[in-house]
């Protein structure tokens, strides 16, 4: 055997033996892809997709980012490197320690922190951005809590969807990613279902997540709501050939009508 090949083979043997020795001797914890987790096994998000997820959520230093089930901390650490404060919620205490060490190695301990907790029992209402790589049924279990978050909160999920709540954006990473390369973004919509008194007549809205249908009634005319959509607290729809856009703020809305003029609405009933 050529010496170079012998060296490569021995290096691999040494590395393999070294890592299992570390595990056996109870020294630094070595995570194993596929290891058991409380509700989901650990599989890390490819770094290229972590970057894409944070891009889709338009993470800025003003955001507080929370990763639900944070694994080795890579998403939290990447967000912290972008200047955001970020928190990882992780049930496995070894992974919490590992991610805390990883954050220190990357020099972001001041912005990245980790807590050993069950994501189902955690309060994540302060986040502007939530990231996750869980499972479809877990996403659906979390959905009511997510829909109660502040309108405009961005949720990004690696691969798994949110049942019949369609994403606002879905993207796939092709470079530097072999598996689990799709990200979905949802923006928590304001709650507008019900009737509203507007300067243009009585507006009745039926809301399915971010999609809106309904009518705008003025005198004897009734116009169907077309292309009704919410993006966080931003509302847009057409009625009677007029395009409306505006902002929802609790029980009031106001905005502009394309072609001129403004409009206002106040809640008249649920
Ligand atoms: C698929 S991994 C994703 C890790 C990381 N978010 C990433 O994208 O690289 C899921 C993680 O959730 C953790 N986990 C599972 N059930 C949990 C629970 N109920 N509360 C908190 N963490 C949990 C697992 O230990 C695992 O680290």
């Amino acid at each position: 055997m050529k010496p170079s090949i012998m060296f490569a083979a021995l290096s691999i043997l040494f590395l393999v033996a070294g890592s299992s020795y570390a595990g056996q001797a109870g020294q630094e914890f070595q995570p194993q892809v596929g290891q058991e987790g409380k509700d989901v096994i650990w599989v890390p998000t490819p770094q290229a997709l972590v970057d894409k997820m944070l891009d889709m959520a338009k993470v800025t230093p003003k955001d507080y980012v929370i990763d639900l089930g944070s694994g080795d901390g890579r998403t939290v650490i990447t967000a912290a490197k972008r200047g955001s404060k970020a928190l990882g919620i992780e049930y496995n205490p070894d992974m919490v320690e590992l991610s805390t060490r990883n954050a220190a190695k990357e020099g972001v301990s001041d912005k990245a922190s980790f807590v050993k907790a069950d994501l189902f029992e955690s309060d994540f209402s302060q986040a502007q951005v939530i990231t996750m790589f869980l499972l479809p049924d877990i996403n659906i279990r979390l959905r009511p809590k997510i829909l109660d978050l502040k309108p405009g909160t961005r949720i990004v999920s690696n691969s798994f969807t949110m049942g019949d709540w369609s994403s606002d954006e879905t993207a796939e990473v092709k470079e530097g990613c072999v598996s689990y390369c799709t990200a979905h973004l949802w923006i928590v919509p304001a709650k507008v279902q019900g009737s509203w008194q507007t300067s243009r007549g009585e507006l009745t809205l039926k809301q399915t997540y971010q999609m809106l249908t309904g009518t705008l009634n003025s005198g004897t005319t009734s116009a169907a709501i077309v292309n009704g959509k919410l993006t966080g607290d931003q509302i847009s729809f057409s009625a009677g050939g007029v395009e409306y856009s505006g902002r929802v703020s609790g029980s009031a809305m106001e905005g502009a009508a394309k072609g001129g003029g403004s409009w206002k609405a106040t809640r008249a009933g649920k």
Side-chain angles (χ1 to χ4, degrees):
M1 192 186 283
K2 275 184 172 180
S4 59
I5 296 176
M6 174 95 99
F7 177 74
L10 279 174
S11 304
I12 291 167
L13 204 66
F14 177 77
L15 275 175
V16 170
S19 65
S20 64
Y21 168 77
Q24 277 167 18
Q27 292 182 351
E28 202 162 273
F29 168 72
Q30 302 284 332
Q32 303 295 324
V33 172
Q35 75 192 13
E36 281 301 308
K38 182 174 178 286
D39 295 289
V40 194
I41 60 167
W42 176 62
V43 176
T45 295
Q47 186 59 42
L49 195 72
V50 170
D51 295 336
K52 183 70 185 175
M53 287 166 72
L54 299 183
D55 287 348
M56 286 167 79
K58 297 191 170 74
V59 166
T60 75
K62 286 189 186 153
D63 291 317
Y64 181 39
V65 179
I66 297 184
D67 189 30
L68 301 179
S70 48
D72 65 0
R74 59 186 59 203
T75 307
V76 170
I77 291 167
T78 307
K81 284 183 173 174
R82 292 184 182 205
S84 314
K85 256 189 83 191
L87 173 73
I89 298 175
E90 170 59 53
Y91 196 76
N92 181 332
D94 291 325
M95 296 303 273
V96 173
E97 276 183 28
L98 173 72
S99 48
T100 305
R101 277 198 303 275
N102 288 345
K105 279 184 200 150
E106 298 290 333
V108 290
S109 299
D110 57 332
K111 297 220 177 285
S113 49
F114 300 91
V115 58
K116 193 254 156 226
D118 185 335
L119 61 91
F120 286 110
E121 282 161 23
S122 300
D123 174 15
F124 43 85
S125 61
Q126 296 311 303
Q128 278 85 44
V129 175
I130 290 183
T131 55
M132 55 199 201
F133 181 19
L134 298 167
L135 283 171
D137 61 314
I138 295 185
N139 290 0
I140 290 172
R141 269 171 76 191
L142 288 171
R143 195 172 63 188
K145 207 166 164 183
I146 288 174
L147 283 164
D148 274 343
L149 295 172
K150 192 169 176 288
T153 306
R154 291 97 79 202
I155 319 297
V156 217
S157 164
N158 176 348
S159 296
F160 300 117
T161 56
M162 200 91 78
D164 62 354
W165 183 10
S166 305
S167 66
D168 289 279
E169 189 187 337
T170 291
E172 198 185 334
V173 164
K174 295 227 161 76
E175 261 177 50
C177 195
V178 183
S179 52
Y180 298 112
C181 303
T182 302
H184 304 282
L185 167 78
W186 295 264
I187 299 169
V188 174
K191 292 188 166 92
V192 297
Q193 166 128 334
S195 47
W196 297 77
Q197 197 55 53
T198 83
S199 40
R200 312 257 174 151
E202 194 199 334
L203 177 66
T204 304
L205 294 174
K206 181 172 184 300
Q207 178 169 5
T208 309
Y209 306 111
Q210 69 274 57
M211 308 312 284
L212 300 172
T213 54
T215 50
L216 179 60
N217 293 330
S218 182
T220 53
T221 59
S222 177
I225 299 298
V226 181
N227 297 330
K229 180 151 196 236
L230 284 154
T231 306
D233 64 359
Q234 302 296 310
I235 186 168
S236 59
F237 58 90
S238 294
V242 179
E243 286 177 39
Y244 297 90
S245 61
R247 183 169 174 268
V248 185
S249 177
S251 53
M253 301 195 245
E254 68 178 305
K258 203 166 178 184
S262 59
W263 65 280
K264 278 186 180 191
T266 49
R267 196 178 261 292
K270 293 260 178 191

